[in-house]
Amino acid sequence: DVKVTQSSRYLVKRTGEKVFLECVQDMDHENMFWYRQDPGLGLRLIYFSYDVKMKEKGDIPEGYSVSREKKERFSLILESASTNQTSMYLCASSEAANTNEAFFGQGTRLTVV
Amino acid sequence: AQSVSQHNHHVILSEAASLELGCNYSYGGTVNLFWYVQYPGQHLQLLLKYFSGDPLVKGIKGFEAEFIKSKFSFNLRKPSVQWSDTAEYFCAVNLISNFGNEKLTFGTGTRLTIIP
């Protein structure tokens, strides 16, 4: 079974803090994605990566950055957390061929106070 | 701009009713299409996908979807829903980014509530 593991299920951070969300997949997938999920807005793509050290902005990259130093790990960084970044964050991975399904982690519920 | 639209935000049905959830996308090139489901408290998981061939695809749990290229649509159907189908359903399209990379893009989701 493919496993996508996000380091935390729940996080509470203060405004202005630097926040790291970690994601690890165990299936040697090339593609990895970070989304945020908000009620009524669905899943919005923040960043994605198609190879080690390769990344591309998604639809809402402002206020975020990412790091992919190893194939299995994809980190999302909130440089200076703000209350409007309170959300559920989902990580996903998939094989390179675009017919392949994405596998999701369980999500990290981040609250910024 | 490339996008995926789901017009039904919340659908409430009684058990045994038939279901159809709409999905439209705006992209002129070749697309790969997916429906994902998120049951309460669980991960998103794949229901079905289309990438070529027969435009009517069957997925798990009795769901099916039809790709109509001329309408840019990929609607999800089930002839008779069950209480256990209560979940949120997301349509997704694998678009190609401006830099030529795969970009899995989701719609806003449809919350389905089945009344026993």
Side-chain angles (χ1 to χ4, degrees):
Chain A
D1 265 0
V2 173
K3 233 186 182 155
V4 179
T5 304
Q6 294 182 229
S7 53
S8 304
R9 192 73 192 263
Y10 299 95
L11 270 181
V12 180
K13 296 292 181 180
R14 294 194 181 279
T15 302
E17 274 193 79
K18 190 168 187 176
V19 181
F20 293 86
L21 303 184
E22 306 286 347
C23 175
V24 176
Q25 50 97 0
D26 66 358
M27 281 302 290
D28 203 37
H29 285 168
E30 290 81 6
N31 296 337
M32 294 188 77
F33 306 85
W34 274 107
Y35 296 89
R36 60 178 285 176
Q37 182 178 12
D38 300 287
L41 297 177
L43 276 73
R44 292 180 291 167
L45 182 63
I46 304 171
Y47 266 96
F48 62 107
S49 168
Y50 45 92
D51 203 348
V52 177
K53 297 189 191 285
M54 307 301 281
K55 61 187 179 187
E56 191 173 332
K57 292 179 181 178
D59 299 314
I60 52 163
E62 296 78 19
Y64 303 94
S65 62
V66 291
S67 171
R68 193 159 179 210
E69 297 296 316
K70 293 185 178 181
K71 193 173 186 180
E72 67 271 17
R73 187 180 295 270
F74 190 37
S75 304
L76 179 70
I77 303 153
L78 286 66
E79 298 291 342
S80 176
S82 64
T83 54
N84 63 13
Q85 292 178 309
T86 291
S87 186
M88 172 69 85
Y89 290 87
L90 298 178
C91 175
S93 73
S94 70
E95 291 183 19
N98 59 9
T99 58
N100 287 301
E101 69 178 282
F103 293 87
F104 282 83
Q106 79 279 18
T108 297
R109 169 77 63 188
L110 173 67
T111 303
V112 182
V113 297
Chain B
Q2 301 168 357
S3 65
V4 183
S5 302
Q6 292 180 247
H7 302 295
N8 312 108
H9 298 295
H10 189 191
V11 172
I12 302 172
L13 294 172
S14 298
E15 273 191 311
S18 65
L19 169 71
E20 181 160 1
L21 302 182
C23 173
N24 289 89
Y25 63 92
S26 61
Y27 179 66
T30 302
V31 290
N32 298 296
L33 301 154
F34 306 82
W35 275 97
Y36 285 81
V37 61
Q38 188 174 34
Y39 297 104
Q42 294 189 26
H43 301 195
L44 267 97
Q45 56 186 280
L46 184 71
L47 262 184
L48 47 77
K49 65 180 181 181
Y50 170 82
F51 54 92
S52 66
D54 189 344
L56 184 63
V57 292
K58 295 194 184 299
I60 60 171
K61 305 189 181 189
F63 286 90
E64 64 180 31
E66 185 174 14
F67 171 51
I68 303 179
K69 190 174 181 180
S70 60
K71 294 186 178 180
F72 299 90
S73 71
F74 189 54
N75 292 354
L76 181 71
R77 300 195 293 245
K78 186 170 183 179
S80 177
V81 294
Q82 300 171 307
W83 178 79
S84 59
D85 293 325
T86 294
E88 191 149 19
Y89 293 80
F90 294 92
C91 180
V93 180
N94 226 344
L95 303 174
I96 303 299
S97 74
N98 292 336
F99 298 96
N101 298 309
E102 300 157 22
K103 179 179 159 184
L104 184 60
T105 302
F106 284 80
T108 52
T110 297
R111 186 153 64 99
L112 176 65
T113 302
I114 306 299
I115 301 168

